[in-house]
Amino acid sequence: MTQMTKDDWFRVASRQLVEHGEQGLTLAALTSAAGVTQGSFYHHFGGQAGFVEAFLAHLAARAFIDVSAAADEDSTTPAGARRALRRLVEIIAAEDLELEAAVRRWSQSNARVAEVVAEIDSRRGELLGRLFLVATGDPSRAAHLTRLNGTFYLGAVHSRPVVQGEEYARMARDLERLIEPPEATP
């Protein structure tokens, strides 16, 4: 029998959540999908509540680490912040946004999941806000662009089919034009 690691369980759970929603995260559904007995599950998580907390921590870390990595390089200059924002688009375009959509659907019926999603959204918004402020030098414009980009992202995730990959990248490049300072009028 194959030994399951926590990461193996998280991969199975991610697929189950996308394909079957919250119902795919029961112990029976997960072990059936993984083709293993319940022992490994209990070994790693202690039970369903422990699994949900570990899975949410995994999702939160992955969601924020991936996007914050884009700002690791020099994003203290307008040009550096614009590069970081472009890297964010590349990272997001490479992701399977179906999982994000499934987590957000799950958050509608589970208060703990809703808390984690709100925390992720807040951290992402803070990161975008900092980058847009450096890129534009205008706090009001930065706040507007942060909200606009957050709304675009959520719209992409909730669209059917989900807007992702090259289509997401093309749309984001169109939005990028808004970062440039407005033309001065004579």
Side-chain angles (χ1 to χ4, degrees), residues 52-114:
V52 169
E53 283 303 313
F55 186 47
L56 290 174
H58 165 78
L59 292 170
R62 184 176 160 265
F64 192 71
I65 289 169
D66 287 352
V67 297
S68 66
D72 282 348
E73 295 181 25
D74 177 35
S75 56
T76 59
T77 65
R82 286 185 186 100
R83 279 192 302 276
L85 288 163
R86 282 191 291 278
R87 282 192 305 277
L88 276 174
V89 169
E90 292 167 6
I91 290 167
I92 293 168
E95 287 292 314
D96 177 4
L97 296 183
E98 291 287 350
L99 178 58
E100 175 98 12
V103 171
R104 288 180 180 280
R105 284 190 298 274
W106 184 22
S107 76
Q108 298 300 305
S109 63
N110 185 304
R112 178 68 184 120
V113 178

Side-chain angles (χ1 to χ4, degrees), residues 9 16 23 25 38 41 49 51 71 119 131 148 157 159 163 179 182:
W9 282 110
Q16 286 289 105
Q23 298 77 20
L25 299 180
Q38 298 177 4
F41 184 89
F51 164 73
E119 175 63 23
L131 292 173
L148 177 65
V157 166
S159 293
V163 176
I179 297 172

